[in-house]
Amino acid sequence: NGSLELGTSVSHSHQARSVFSNPAALGFQTELNGSSLLSSFSYGFSKDRRSEFSAGLAYGYFGFGIENLHPLAGEFSRYSFALGIPLFSSVYLGTRYSFTGSDTPALHGVNSFDMGLQYRASRYVSVGFQWNHLNTRSTSLIGGITVRPIDKLELSFDVDSPSDDFGNTVGYQGRVGFTPTDGVTVFGGYHKDYEFQAGLRIDLGRASVLAEGQPSHTERTYVVGFQTTALPMRSTLQPKTALNVKLDGEITETPSEGTLFRSKNRSFLDLLRGLDAARTNPKVEVVLVRMQGFPLGFASAEELHNVLWAIRSSGKQVIV
């Protein structure tokens, strides 16, 4: 908070930008979508200060980031290595090690060890915590919560306080995101030090472009950037598509939790919900089911048959 990544919350996931916000989100993203190469780039500029940038890469549970920043004390670069893993059911743990390089002696060789935690109570609410600078005497704690009361609306709120003045010195920020139509999200929020923020994100399949600014702050910083995603997102430009479903021995009646080296199995209920969502999604024209075995009983087979028949009755093509 307060660097290039405007409006990020420690309770949320931000693709490769999670390296900078909360590394615990890397574990959640991997368990949700599998391992995939993610990237991000942000470029910040203002009228009276030199431009800054950040770039991040993430694959599975691991992430790397670089930031080139220009505070009033001088220029420095910060390099971050991050790891996020599932700890318990719906609980994710993350660590990050950062070090700096600079021509200014006071900004060179500054090391930081940080830890993050996220609890995903449901798809509608998540909470996060982050402890920064654990290797120093002056640590800081950030706590946040993100709530999604409906699919198109997202609310987040974060507070932070240093350990040497805990509770007396408090920072905070709140943020609202609204998606009026597929692929377009508008943001608005308020930060204690950086005042009002506003932004726009446009999703283009497997990538997003974003712009955000602090128009009321004296520095009037603006940030533009992009990020890639593991799975295609809803987009106004997305063409008609096919849903590809594989049925094999990994499908179980109830989901099994994953570990560091193994993703959790899909449940039969998750499969039925996904197929039913395809039935009502106007962008899905074809459902392709590849059967490599069906490990469940006749009752489950009949349920699957009924869902596929309902998709076919809605006018879509079903191929098994």
Side-chain angles (χ1 to χ4, degrees):
N1 296 334
S3 65
L4 281 178
E5 310 305 320
L6 293 180
T8 55
S9 171
V10 296
S11 60
H12 209 334
S13 58
H14 303 279
Q15 310 299 334
R17 299 166 71 201
S18 296
V19 173
F20 308 112
S21 57
N22 188 345
L26 296 175
F28 167 70
Q29 293 171 181
T30 302
E31 290 297 293
L32 182 68
N33 298 325
S35 296
S36 181
L37 182 63
L38 305 174
S39 62
S40 69
F41 180 81
S42 300
Y43 181 82
F45 56 93
S46 59
K47 180 180 179 181
D48 301 321
R49 291 178 58 182
R50 295 181 61 184
S51 299
E52 303 174 310
F53 75 86
S54 70
L57 288 175
Y59 184 81
Y61 303 110
F62 302 93
F64 169 76
I66 178 174
E67 300 162 278
N68 185 258
L69 305 173
H70 296 271
L72 296 178
E75 175 186 358
F76 73 96
S77 296
R78 179 165 54 206
Y79 307 89
S80 300
F81 297 87
L83 169 69
I85 59 173
L87 194 60
F88 303 110
S89 175
S90 304
V91 178
Y92 302 88
L93 176 69
T95 62
R96 177 177 58 218
Y97 173 74
S98 305
F99 64 93
T100 64
S102 175
D103 293 333
T104 303
L107 299 176
H108 181 76
V110 179
N111 302 316
S112 177
F113 179 70
D114 313 320
M115 292 192 66
L117 193 70
Q118 282 191 350
Y119 171 53
R120 298 275 168 171
S122 71
R123 62 172 296 189
Y124 304 105
V125 60
S126 65
V127 294
F129 299 93
Q130 186 161 287
W131 295 265
N132 291 336
H133 316 299
L134 290 175
N135 57 320
T136 68
R137 292 184 177 180
S138 179
T139 63
S140 63
L141 173 64
I142 306 173
I145 182 171
T146 296
V147 179
R148 181 179 293 172
I150 58 175
D151 284 342
K152 293 182 178 293
L153 181 64
E154 203 168 67
L155 311 172
S156 65
F157 184 76
D158 289 53
V159 295
D160 62 89
S161 186
S163 60
D164 53 2
D165 196 23
F166 190 78
N168 295 319
T169 301
V170 177
Y172 59 86
Q173 70 166 5
R175 183 177 176 88
V176 178
F178 178 64
T179 305
T181 185
D182 285 351
V184 178
T185 302
V186 292
F187 299 102
Y190 186 84
H191 190 283
K192 178 184 178 182
D193 298 324
Y194 298 92
E195 300 177 348
F196 290 99
Q197 301 173 354
L200 175 71
R201 190 187 76 223
I202 299 177
D203 300 327
L204 305 170
R206 288 183 179 269
S208 300
V209 293
L210 54 95
E212 192 162 358
Q214 301 167 161
S216 62
H217 192 253
T218 54
E219 294 178 357
R220 294 184 181 178
T221 301
Y222 298 91
V223 173
V224 295
F226 78 90
Q227 61 188 21
T228 60
T229 61
L231 297 178
M233 297 176 296
R234 292 181 178 181
S235 169
T236 54
L237 303 179
Q238 185 175 344
K240 301 295 184 180
T241 185
L243 175 66
N244 195 338
V245 179
K246 183 175 72 171
L247 297 179
D248 55 23
E250 293 186 356
I251 297 177
T252 57
E253 287 284 1
T254 58
S256 60
E257 294 301 326
T259 64
L260 175 58
F261 302 102
R262 184 176 182 271
S263 297
K264 64 181 181 181
N265 286 350
R266 294 177 298 161
S267 71
F268 185 61
L269 182 58
D270 290 336
L271 172 66
L272 295 181
R273 286 173 175 169
L275 289 171
D276 189 61
R279 177 181 62 84
T280 58
N281 188 340
K283 295 176 181 177
V284 176
E285 288 188 330
V286 180
V287 174
L288 175 62
V289 182
R290 302 178 183 272
M291 295 195 68
Q292 299 178 352
F294 188 73
L296 306 180
F298 285 116
S300 297
E302 184 176 6
E303 286 186 81
L304 177 61
H305 165 83
N306 292 337
V307 171
L308 293 176
W309 191 264
I311 295 174
R312 185 176 179 182
S313 299
S314 69
K316 302 178 187 291
Q317 186 177 13
V318 177
I319 303 173
V320 179

